[in-house]
Amino acid sequence: PAVTGCRLVGRRHRTVSGADIALTVAAALRAHGVVGRFVEFHGEGLDGLAMGDRAGLANMAPEYGATCGLFPIDDETLRFLRLTGRDEAQVDLIAAHARAIGLWRVDNETRQYNDILTIDLSEIAPVVAGPRRPQEKTPLNGTAESFRTAFPERPAASGDGLKDGDIVIAAISSCTHTSNPQQMMTAALLARNARRRGLAPKPWVKTSLSPGSRVVEDYFRSTGLQADLDALGFHITGFGCMTCAGNPGALAPEVSAQIREAGLTVCSIVSGNRNFEGRTHPDVRASYLGSPALVIAYALAGTILTDLTSDPLGFAPDGTAIRLADIWPGEEEVAALLAAHLKRDSYERVYAPETLAPPLWLDLAAPDGKQFAWQESSTHVRRPPFFEEPENRARLADIAGGRPLAVLGDNITTDHISPFGRILPGSAAARHLSAHGIAEEDWSSYAEHRGNHEVLLRGTFSNPRIRNALAQGQTGSLTTGPNGEVQSIMAAAEAYQASGTPTVVFAGKAYGTGSARDWAAKGTFLIGVRAVVAESFERIHRANLVGVGVVPCQLPPGVTVESLGVTADTTVAIEGLSGLNGPRATARLVLKRPDGSTRMVPVTCRIDTETEVSQFREGGLFASAEEAARAQSN
C-alpha cells in the first residue's frame, strides 16, 4: 500500500495532553486523505512523545482512515518494555532485531514515502472533538459555537432545569488514553485540586472511570488520588470498553424524562476515540471527545456551552471565581508522582497469573473437551450460520430484480450500521429477546450479545440517529417496505428475504467509517443485502463486506447517491458480476423506475485484490476457510 509519512516536529506545550495531540493529528490526517494507506510517524518530535502518547495516535488509525499508524522502535520503546516487566534479554533481542531489519529509529536517514505531512507539536493546543465525529477538532473556546452550528434548530437555553448543551455523561473511558500515565495522573491531580477548592460535578452529570489498565488503579490507590476522584463521582467501574463503546448504563430517570419530554439535545464528554451518533447513549445526540482531565473539567462546568479558557468552573465560598487554569496541575508534580509510584513491580504484581485468575474465577465450572458445547437456550453465544448454510452465501453472480433497502448520506459509520449501544424497547432485538423470556433489565447492549447472530442481525441499521431517504422524512431504523408503507428496516428485510428479493444499500462518501466492527458486515449479509453502492468506502469496512460476500460497488466521479434518484419502488440490477475475473472490475448498475425509464451507471467493484476475488468467488472468507479445512482433512 501507499505510505504517508507524518513528520512530527517541535515540542508540545505543558498543558497539551496525548489526547489533544491524537485528536489534532487525526483531524489533519483525515483532511490530508490517508484512507487505505499506511501512516508512518517520524521526526524529531518523537523525542517528546512517551509510549502512551504514541499508542493513542496509532490507535486512532480507523478515525483518520488509515490501515495502520506505525512508529519506529527506539529507546522510548525499550524503556516501556522494561517498565512493564520484560526481561533484559528479551529487550536486547528486540532492539537488535529492529536495527537489523530497518525498524530502528534513525532520524537523519532518508526514507521513501508517497507523500509527507508535517505537523508542528508546538502549535497544538488543548482541544475536544465533536459533536459527531472524531475529526471535528474544536478549540476549548469554540465548543459552544460547534454545538450551535451542528444543531441550529435548537433555541437558546433559558429557564430552570436541564437545557440544550448540558452534559449528562462524563466518562474517563478508553483503551489507550486511560493507559497513558501522564494523562491519568494529570486528571487525578486536577480532581484533587478541584475537591480542595470545593468544586463538584453538576448533579445532572453521570460520571465514571473505566481504565484500560489495572495499573491505573494501583498507582491511584498508592498516591491516595482515588479518594479525590471518588469524591467527584469518578469511581472505578471496571476495566475495558464501557461508555466509549456504548455501555454507560442508564441515566437517572428524572434526567431521561426531562430530555425526552422537552426534546433536549444534551451532550456526553468521553476520553475515547469515537463519538459517532447514538454511540454513548440513545438519549444523547451530541458527544465530544477530550482528554481525561478535560472530562473532569466539563463535568464541573456541566455544559458544553462554556469556554474553559475563561469561564469559571465554579466559585469559592467567598465568591471568588475558580477557572480551569487555577486547578490545572504542574508538569513537575505529575512527573514526581509518576517517578515515585509508577514502577515495574506494579505491572508484575497486577498482571501476575494469580492476580488475573483468582480462585473465584478458577472455581467456575467449565466443560471439558476441545470443542465448545453449544447451548440452544443461550441468548449470548449461539452457533453461527456462516459455515452451515452454503445456500445463503453470496458468490459472484449478477443481481437482478433487487430493491433498495436504504438510501443513506455521507459518513455512515459502523455504529450506524451495527450499533453496540443499549438495546432499546421496541427494537427488533428487544422483541427477539422478550420472546425468549429475557426481561428488559437484562437486555443490556448489543456488545454483550455479540456472540449471538440472532440478536446482532436484528441490530443491523438500528441506530436511532440513522437517516434513510426511504423513510419518508422520519429518523431512525425505518424504510419503505415492499408493501409501500414505512416500517422498520428489519421488518422490510425479512419481507424481502421471504419473497427471495435481493436488496441493495445506497450511500454517499466514506461509507463504513469508524472501528473495524465485523458485525457491520456480517449483519448486512445476514439480512439479505447483496451489494452496497456508495460514492466511496472506508478500507476496513469495504474489506469486511468482501469477506462475507457483499459486493461493494463504487460510483464513478461526478455521480452522487442523490443524483441516482433511487426511490422505494426502484428496481435494482447489477450486471457483469458473474464474469468478473480481476480486481476493481467494472460492472453496470441498472435502475428501473415504475414509469419504465431506465438508467445505467458503470460502477467499480471494490474487490481490490486477486485474493479477494478468489475468496469472493468461493462465497467469502467463511466458505474459503471451510474449503481449506476440508482440503486439509482430505
Side-chain angles (χ1 to χ4, degrees), residues 14-15 17 180-193 220 225 291-294 296 327-331 334 338:
R14 66 178 184 84
T15 61
S17 70
N180 185 322
Q182 288 82 4
Q183 290 197 106
M184 294 301 283
M185 197 66 81
T186 299
L189 284 170
L190 187 139
R192 171 170 290 180
N193 295 340
F220 278 175
L225 289 168
S291 69
L294 291 181
I296 295 175
I327 59 173
W328 193 269
E331 280 186 298
V334 171
L338 287 174

PDB file of all heavy atoms in Angstrom, residues 14-15 17 180-193 220 225 291-294 296 327-331 334 338:
ATOM      1  N   ARG A  14       3.082  22.576  27.857  1.00  0.00           N
ATOM      2  CA  ARG A  14       2.911  21.788  29.081  1.00  0.00           C
ATOM      3  C   ARG A  14       1.459  21.426  29.363  1.00  0.00           C
ATOM      4  O   ARG A  14       1.187  20.446  30.053  1.00  0.00           O
ATOM      5  CB  ARG A  14       3.493  22.556  30.267  1.00  0.00           C
ATOM      6  CG  ARG A  14       2.748  23.846  30.594  1.00  0.00           C
ATOM      7  CD  ARG A  14       3.340  24.554  31.810  1.00  0.00           C
ATOM      8  NE  ARG A  14       2.562  25.731  32.179  1.00  0.00           N
ATOM      9  CZ  ARG A  14       1.472  25.686  32.945  1.00  0.00           C
ATOM     10  NH1 ARG A  14       1.050  24.531  33.411  1.00  0.00           N
ATOM     11  NH2 ARG A  14       0.805  26.781  33.239  1.00  0.00           N
ATOM     12  N   THR A  15       0.510  22.183  28.843  1.00  0.00           N
ATOM     13  CA  THR A  15      -0.906  21.881  29.107  1.00  0.00           C
ATOM     14  C   THR A  15      -1.523  20.975  28.040  1.00  0.00           C
ATOM     15  O   THR A  15      -2.710  20.663  28.117  1.00  0.00           O
ATOM     16  CB  THR A  15      -1.730  23.177  29.180  1.00  0.00           C
ATOM     17  OG1 THR A  15      -1.647  23.868  27.928  1.00  0.00           O
ATOM     18  CG2 THR A  15      -1.233  24.073  30.304  1.00  0.00           C
ATOM     19  N   SER A  17      -2.116  17.502  26.181  1.00  0.00           N
ATOM     20  CA  SER A  17      -2.087  16.085  26.531  1.00  0.00           C
ATOM     21  C   SER A  17      -1.911  15.216  25.285  1.00  0.00           C
ATOM     22  O   SER A  17      -2.013  15.689  24.147  1.00  0.00           O
ATOM     23  CB  SER A  17      -3.389  15.690  27.228  1.00  0.00           C
ATOM     24  OG  SER A  17      -4.461  15.715  26.298  1.00  0.00           O
ATOM     25  N   ASN A 180      -2.505   5.884  29.569  1.00  0.00           N
ATOM     26  CA  ASN A 180      -1.423   6.865  29.452  1.00  0.00           C
ATOM     27  C   ASN A 180      -1.194   7.472  30.833  1.00  0.00           C
ATOM     28  O   ASN A 180      -2.000   8.275  31.312  1.00  0.00           O
ATOM     29  CB  ASN A 180      -1.841   7.947  28.448  1.00  0.00           C
ATOM     30  CG  ASN A 180      -0.744   8.944  28.165  1.00  0.00           C
ATOM     31  OD1 ASN A 180       0.005   9.328  29.056  1.00  0.00           O
ATOM     32  ND2 ASN A 180      -0.656   9.390  26.933  1.00  0.00           N
ATOM     33  N   PRO A 181      -0.106   7.102  31.524  1.00  0.00           N
ATOM     34  CA  PRO A 181       0.092   7.549  32.910  1.00  0.00           C
ATOM     35  C   PRO A 181       0.113   9.059  33.075  1.00  0.00           C
ATOM     36  O   PRO A 181      -0.418   9.591  34.058  1.00  0.00           O
ATOM     37  CB  PRO A 181       1.434   6.924  33.300  1.00  0.00           C
ATOM     38  CG  PRO A 181       1.604   5.765  32.376  1.00  0.00           C
ATOM     39  CD  PRO A 181       0.965   6.190  31.088  1.00  0.00           C
ATOM     40  N   GLN A 182       0.735   9.772  32.116  1.00  0.00           N
ATOM     41  CA  GLN A 182       0.796  11.230  32.233  1.00  0.00           C
ATOM     42  C   GLN A 182      -0.604  11.839  32.223  1.00  0.00           C
ATOM     43  O   GLN A 182      -0.920  12.737  33.028  1.00  0.00           O
ATOM     44  CB  GLN A 182       1.636  11.823  31.086  1.00  0.00           C
ATOM     45  CG  GLN A 182       3.123  11.576  31.198  1.00  0.00           C
ATOM     46  CD  GLN A 182       3.536  10.196  30.705  1.00  0.00           C
ATOM     47  OE1 GLN A 182       2.708   9.427  30.193  1.00  0.00           O
ATOM     48  NE2 GLN A 182       4.804   9.866  30.853  1.00  0.00           N
ATOM     49  N   GLN A 183      -1.447  11.370  31.306  1.00  0.00           N
ATOM     50  CA  GLN A 183      -2.801  11.906  31.222  1.00  0.00           C
ATOM     51  C   GLN A 183      -3.611  11.584  32.466  1.00  0.00           C
ATOM     52  O   GLN A 183      -4.349  12.426  32.983  1.00  0.00           O
ATOM     53  CB  GLN A 183      -3.509  11.341  29.988  1.00  0.00           C
ATOM     54  CG  GLN A 183      -2.981  11.842  28.676  1.00  0.00           C
ATOM     55  CD  GLN A 183      -3.953  11.595  27.534  1.00  0.00           C
ATOM     56  OE1 GLN A 183      -4.600  12.514  27.046  1.00  0.00           O
ATOM     57  NE2 GLN A 183      -4.067  10.362  27.105  1.00  0.00           N
ATOM     58  N   MET A 184      -3.479  10.350  32.941  1.00  0.00           N
ATOM     59  CA  MET A 184      -4.296   9.936  34.082  1.00  0.00           C
ATOM     60  C   MET A 184      -3.861  10.626  35.368  1.00  0.00           C
ATOM     61  O   MET A 184      -4.698  11.006  36.197  1.00  0.00           O
ATOM     62  CB  MET A 184      -4.237   8.422  34.228  1.00  0.00           C
ATOM     63  CG  MET A 184      -4.877   7.685  33.065  1.00  0.00           C
ATOM     64  SD  MET A 184      -6.624   8.110  32.815  1.00  0.00           S
ATOM     65  CE  MET A 184      -7.369   7.165  34.147  1.00  0.00           C
ATOM     66  N   MET A 185      -2.566  10.798  35.551  1.00  0.00           N
ATOM     67  CA  MET A 185      -2.099  11.484  36.751  1.00  0.00           C
ATOM     68  C   MET A 185      -2.506  12.959  36.709  1.00  0.00           C
ATOM     69  O   MET A 185      -2.870  13.547  37.744  1.00  0.00           O
ATOM     70  CB  MET A 185      -0.581  11.345  36.891  1.00  0.00           C
ATOM     71  CG  MET A 185      -0.071  11.651  38.286  1.00  0.00           C
ATOM     72  SD  MET A 185      -0.646  10.451  39.519  1.00  0.00           S
ATOM     73  CE  MET A 185       0.503   9.105  39.248  1.00  0.00           C
ATOM     74  N   THR A 186      -2.461  13.555  35.533  1.00  0.00           N
ATOM     75  CA  THR A 186      -2.915  14.947  35.392  1.00  0.00           C
ATOM     76  C   THR A 186      -4.388  15.066  35.772  1.00  0.00           C
ATOM     77  O   THR A 186      -4.788  15.982  36.515  1.00  0.00           O
ATOM     78  CB  THR A 186      -2.704  15.435  33.948  1.00  0.00           C
ATOM     79  OG1 THR A 186      -1.317  15.382  33.625  1.00  0.00           O
ATOM     80  CG2 THR A 186      -3.210  16.863  33.778  1.00  0.00           C
ATOM     81  N   ALA A 187      -5.203  14.128  35.300  1.00  0.00           N
ATOM     82  CA  ALA A 187      -6.633  14.166  35.607  1.00  0.00           C
ATOM     83  C   ALA A 187      -6.878  13.993  37.099  1.00  0.00           C
ATOM     84  O   ALA A 187      -7.708  14.690  37.705  1.00  0.00           O
ATOM     85  CB  ALA A 187      -7.356  13.079  34.822  1.00  0.00           C
ATOM     86  N   ALA A 188      -6.165  13.060  37.719  1.00  0.00           N
ATOM     87  CA  ALA A 188      -6.373  12.798  39.146  1.00  0.00           C
ATOM     88  C   ALA A 188      -5.946  13.991  39.992  1.00  0.00           C
ATOM     89  O   ALA A 188      -6.620  14.334  40.978  1.00  0.00           O
ATOM     90  CB  ALA A 188      -5.606  11.549  39.559  1.00  0.00           C
ATOM     91  N   LEU A 189      -4.840  14.625  39.638  1.00  0.00           N
ATOM     92  CA  LEU A 189      -4.411  15.816  40.382  1.00  0.00           C
ATOM     93  C   LEU A 189      -5.382  16.969  40.178  1.00  0.00           C
ATOM     94  O   LEU A 189      -5.625  17.762  41.105  1.00  0.00           O
ATOM     95  CB  LEU A 189      -3.000  16.216  39.946  1.00  0.00           C
ATOM     96  CG  LEU A 189      -1.873  15.338  40.495  1.00  0.00           C
ATOM     97  CD1 LEU A 189      -0.557  15.672  39.809  1.00  0.00           C
ATOM     98  CD2 LEU A 189      -1.740  15.517  42.016  1.00  0.00           C
ATOM     99  N   LEU A 190      -5.936  17.083  38.979  1.00  0.00           N
ATOM    100  CA  LEU A 190      -6.954  18.113  38.756  1.00  0.00           C
ATOM    101  C   LEU A 190      -8.160  17.851  39.646  1.00  0.00           C
ATOM    102  O   LEU A 190      -8.754  18.784  40.216  1.00  0.00           O
ATOM    103  CB  LEU A 190      -7.347  18.142  37.280  1.00  0.00           C
ATOM    104  CG  LEU A 190      -8.287  19.276  36.870  1.00  0.00           C
ATOM    105  CD1 LEU A 190      -7.874  19.863  35.524  1.00  0.00           C
ATOM    106  CD2 LEU A 190      -9.734  18.807  36.791  1.00  0.00           C
ATOM    107  N   ALA A 191      -8.530  16.563  39.795  1.00  0.00           N
ATOM    108  CA  ALA A 191      -9.646  16.223  40.683  1.00  0.00           C
ATOM    109  C   ALA A 191      -9.328  16.612  42.122  1.00  0.00           C
ATOM    110  O   ALA A 191     -10.188  17.133  42.848  1.00  0.00           O
ATOM    111  CB  ALA A 191      -9.938  14.722  40.585  1.00  0.00           C
ATOM    112  N   ARG A 192      -8.094  16.349  42.554  1.00  0.00           N
ATOM    113  CA  ARG A 192      -7.714  16.728  43.918  1.00  0.00           C
ATOM    114  C   ARG A 192      -7.804  18.235  44.112  1.00  0.00           C
ATOM    115  O   ARG A 192      -8.345  18.728  45.120  1.00  0.00           O
ATOM    116  CB  ARG A 192      -6.290  16.250  44.211  1.00  0.00           C
ATOM    117  CG  ARG A 192      -5.717  16.785  45.524  1.00  0.00           C
ATOM    118  CD  ARG A 192      -4.404  16.113  45.896  1.00  0.00           C
ATOM    119  NE  ARG A 192      -4.647  14.720  46.293  1.00  0.00           N
ATOM    120  CZ  ARG A 192      -3.679  13.879  46.672  1.00  0.00           C
ATOM    121  NH1 ARG A 192      -2.408  14.284  46.676  1.00  0.00           N
ATOM    122  NH2 ARG A 192      -3.973  12.657  47.029  1.00  0.00           N
ATOM    123  N   ASN A 193      -7.279  18.991  43.139  1.00  0.00           N
ATOM    124  CA  ASN A 193      -7.309  20.450  43.253  1.00  0.00           C
ATOM    125  C   ASN A 193      -8.740  20.982  43.248  1.00  0.00           C
ATOM    126  O   ASN A 193      -9.071  21.929  43.976  1.00  0.00           O
ATOM    127  CB  ASN A 193      -6.508  21.077  42.108  1.00  0.00           C
ATOM    128  CG  ASN A 193      -5.027  20.744  42.192  1.00  0.00           C
ATOM    129  OD1 ASN A 193      -4.525  20.368  43.263  1.00  0.00           O
ATOM    130  ND2 ASN A 193      -4.311  20.874  41.081  1.00  0.00           N
ATOM    131  N   PHE A 220      -3.236   4.958  41.486  1.00  0.00           N
ATOM    132  CA  PHE A 220      -4.197   5.872  42.110  1.00  0.00           C
ATOM    133  C   PHE A 220      -4.387   5.544  43.584  1.00  0.00           C
ATOM    134  O   PHE A 220      -4.541   6.447  44.415  1.00  0.00           O
ATOM    135  CB  PHE A 220      -5.543   5.811  41.391  1.00  0.00           C
ATOM    136  CG  PHE A 220      -5.622   6.655  40.148  1.00  0.00           C
ATOM    137  CD1 PHE A 220      -6.744   6.620  39.328  1.00  0.00           C
ATOM    138  CD2 PHE A 220      -4.593   7.517  39.796  1.00  0.00           C
ATOM    139  CE1 PHE A 220      -6.835   7.400  38.192  1.00  0.00           C
ATOM    140  CE2 PHE A 220      -4.663   8.300  38.650  1.00  0.00           C
ATOM    141  CZ  PHE A 220      -5.786   8.243  37.852  1.00  0.00           C
ATOM    142  N   LEU A 225      -4.905   9.356  45.327  1.00  0.00           N
ATOM    143  CA  LEU A 225      -5.706  10.192  44.431  1.00  0.00           C
ATOM    144  C   LEU A 225      -7.066   9.579  44.098  1.00  0.00           C
ATOM    145  O   LEU A 225      -7.980  10.292  43.672  1.00  0.00           O
ATOM    146  CB  LEU A 225      -4.929  10.457  43.138  1.00  0.00           C
ATOM    147  CG  LEU A 225      -3.739  11.407  43.281  1.00  0.00           C
ATOM    148  CD1 LEU A 225      -2.869  11.384  42.024  1.00  0.00           C
ATOM    149  CD2 LEU A 225      -4.219  12.832  43.555  1.00  0.00           C
ATOM    150  N   SER A 291      -9.442  14.860  26.597  1.00  0.00           N
ATOM    151  CA  SER A 291      -8.516  14.177  27.495  1.00  0.00           C
ATOM    152  C   SER A 291      -9.204  13.871  28.827  1.00  0.00           C
ATOM    153  O   SER A 291     -10.227  14.482  29.164  1.00  0.00           O
ATOM    154  CB  SER A 291      -7.290  15.055  27.751  1.00  0.00           C
ATOM    155  OG  SER A 291      -7.657  16.183  28.532  1.00  0.00           O
ATOM    156  N   PRO A 292      -8.680  12.923  29.614  1.00  0.00           N
ATOM    157  CA  PRO A 292      -9.287  12.624  30.920  1.00  0.00           C
ATOM    158  C   PRO A 292      -9.448  13.853  31.803  1.00  0.00           C
ATOM    159  O   PRO A 292     -10.466  14.007  32.488  1.00  0.00           O
ATOM    160  CB  PRO A 292      -8.311  11.614  31.518  1.00  0.00           C
ATOM    161  CG  PRO A 292      -7.744  10.901  30.324  1.00  0.00           C
ATOM    162  CD  PRO A 292      -7.599  11.969  29.280  1.00  0.00           C
ATOM    163  N   ALA A 293      -8.452  14.747  31.809  1.00  0.00           N
ATOM    164  CA  ALA A 293      -8.558  15.954  32.636  1.00  0.00           C
ATOM    165  C   ALA A 293      -9.692  16.854  32.162  1.00  0.00           C
ATOM    166  O   ALA A 293     -10.427  17.437  32.973  1.00  0.00           O
ATOM    167  CB  ALA A 293      -7.232  16.721  32.621  1.00  0.00           C
ATOM    168  N   LEU A 294      -9.868  16.969  30.843  1.00  0.00           N
ATOM    169  CA  LEU A 294     -10.948  17.809  30.329  1.00  0.00           C
ATOM    170  C   LEU A 294     -12.315  17.189  30.584  1.00  0.00           C
ATOM    171  O   LEU A 294     -13.306  17.903  30.722  1.00  0.00           O
ATOM    172  CB  LEU A 294     -10.748  18.070  28.837  1.00  0.00           C
ATOM    173  CG  LEU A 294      -9.564  18.976  28.470  1.00  0.00           C
ATOM    174  CD1 LEU A 294      -9.479  19.168  26.969  1.00  0.00           C
ATOM    175  CD2 LEU A 294      -9.674  20.329  29.180  1.00  0.00           C
ATOM    176  N   ILE A 296     -13.144  15.727  33.337  1.00  0.00           N
ATOM    177  CA  ILE A 296     -13.463  16.209  34.689  1.00  0.00           C
ATOM    178  C   ILE A 296     -13.859  17.681  34.657  1.00  0.00           C
ATOM    179  O   ILE A 296     -14.833  18.095  35.307  1.00  0.00           O
ATOM    180  CB  ILE A 296     -12.271  15.983  35.631  1.00  0.00           C
ATOM    181  CG1 ILE A 296     -12.009  14.477  35.798  1.00  0.00           C
ATOM    182  CG2 ILE A 296     -12.511  16.642  36.990  1.00  0.00           C
ATOM    183  CD1 ILE A 296     -10.781  14.155  36.622  1.00  0.00           C
ATOM    184  N   ILE A 327      -6.774  25.284  38.676  1.00  0.00           N
ATOM    185  CA  ILE A 327      -6.662  23.949  39.259  1.00  0.00           C
ATOM    186  C   ILE A 327      -5.852  22.999  38.380  1.00  0.00           C
ATOM    187  O   ILE A 327      -5.717  21.821  38.701  1.00  0.00           O
ATOM    188  CB  ILE A 327      -8.055  23.332  39.520  1.00  0.00           C
ATOM    189  CG1 ILE A 327      -8.875  23.235  38.229  1.00  0.00           C
ATOM    190  CG2 ILE A 327      -8.825  24.154  40.561  1.00  0.00           C
ATOM    191  CD1 ILE A 327     -10.191  22.481  38.391  1.00  0.00           C
ATOM    192  N   TRP A 328      -5.301  23.502  37.274  1.00  0.00           N
ATOM    193  CA  TRP A 328      -4.526  22.629  36.389  1.00  0.00           C
ATOM    194  C   TRP A 328      -3.184  22.308  37.059  1.00  0.00           C
ATOM    195  O   TRP A 328      -2.463  23.189  37.462  1.00  0.00           O
ATOM    196  CB  TRP A 328      -4.281  23.293  35.032  1.00  0.00           C
ATOM    197  CG  TRP A 328      -3.777  22.321  34.007  1.00  0.00           C
ATOM    198  CD1 TRP A 328      -2.485  22.011  33.725  1.00  0.00           C
ATOM    199  CD2 TRP A 328      -4.577  21.505  33.136  1.00  0.00           C
ATOM    200  NE1 TRP A 328      -2.421  21.069  32.739  1.00  0.00           N
ATOM    201  CE2 TRP A 328      -3.687  20.733  32.358  1.00  0.00           C
ATOM    202  CE3 TRP A 328      -5.956  21.358  32.944  1.00  0.00           C
ATOM    203  CZ2 TRP A 328      -4.139  19.824  31.393  1.00  0.00           C
ATOM    204  CZ3 TRP A 328      -6.395  20.461  31.985  1.00  0.00           C
ATOM    205  CH2 TRP A 328      -5.487  19.701  31.225  1.00  0.00           C
ATOM    206  N   PRO A 329      -2.824  21.020  37.187  1.00  0.00           N
ATOM    207  CA  PRO A 329      -1.582  20.659  37.883  1.00  0.00           C
ATOM    208  C   PRO A 329      -0.345  20.975  37.053  1.00  0.00           C
ATOM    209  O   PRO A 329      -0.399  21.033  35.819  1.00  0.00           O
ATOM    210  CB  PRO A 329      -1.725  19.152  38.089  1.00  0.00           C
ATOM    211  CG  PRO A 329      -2.655  18.712  37.013  1.00  0.00           C
ATOM    212  CD  PRO A 329      -3.601  19.852  36.774  1.00  0.00           C
ATOM    213  N   GLY A 330       0.755  21.166  37.728  1.00  0.00           N
ATOM    214  CA  GLY A 330       2.003  21.450  37.044  1.00  0.00           C
ATOM    215  C   GLY A 330       2.689  20.186  36.554  1.00  0.00           C
ATOM    216  O   GLY A 330       2.500  19.099  37.098  1.00  0.00           O
ATOM    217  N   GLU A 331       3.517  20.339  35.515  1.00  0.00           N
ATOM    218  CA  GLU A 331       4.242  19.194  34.954  1.00  0.00           C
ATOM    219  C   GLU A 331       5.144  18.534  35.983  1.00  0.00           C
ATOM    220  O   GLU A 331       5.270  17.312  36.027  1.00  0.00           O
ATOM    221  CB  GLU A 331       5.096  19.655  33.777  1.00  0.00           C
ATOM    222  CG  GLU A 331       4.368  19.841  32.474  1.00  0.00           C
ATOM    223  CD  GLU A 331       5.331  20.147  31.346  1.00  0.00           C
ATOM    224  OE1 GLU A 331       6.012  21.187  31.416  1.00  0.00           O
ATOM    225  OE2 GLU A 331       5.418  19.343  30.397  1.00  0.00           O
ATOM    226  N   VAL A 334       3.235  16.213  38.348  1.00  0.00           N
ATOM    227  CA  VAL A 334       2.851  14.983  37.650  1.00  0.00           C
ATOM    228  C   VAL A 334       4.054  14.057  37.522  1.00  0.00           C
ATOM    229  O   VAL A 334       3.984  12.857  37.825  1.00  0.00           O
ATOM    230  CB  VAL A 334       2.268  15.306  36.260  1.00  0.00           C
ATOM    231  CG1 VAL A 334       2.072  14.027  35.441  1.00  0.00           C
ATOM    232  CG2 VAL A 334       0.951  16.057  36.391  1.00  0.00           C
ATOM    233  N   LEU A 338       4.651  10.242  39.210  1.00  0.00           N
ATOM    234  CA  LEU A 338       4.877   9.089  38.350  1.00  0.00           C
ATOM    235  C   LEU A 338       6.191   8.402  38.689  1.00  0.00           C
ATOM    236  O   LEU A 338       6.278   7.165  38.726  1.00  0.00           O
ATOM    237  CB  LEU A 338       4.858   9.508  36.877  1.00  0.00           C
ATOM    238  CG  LEU A 338       3.493   9.862  36.295  1.00  0.00           C
ATOM    239  CD1 LEU A 338       3.632  10.387  34.878  1.00  0.00           C
ATOM    240  CD2 LEU A 338       2.573   8.648  36.306  1.00  0.00           C
TER     241      LEU A 338
END
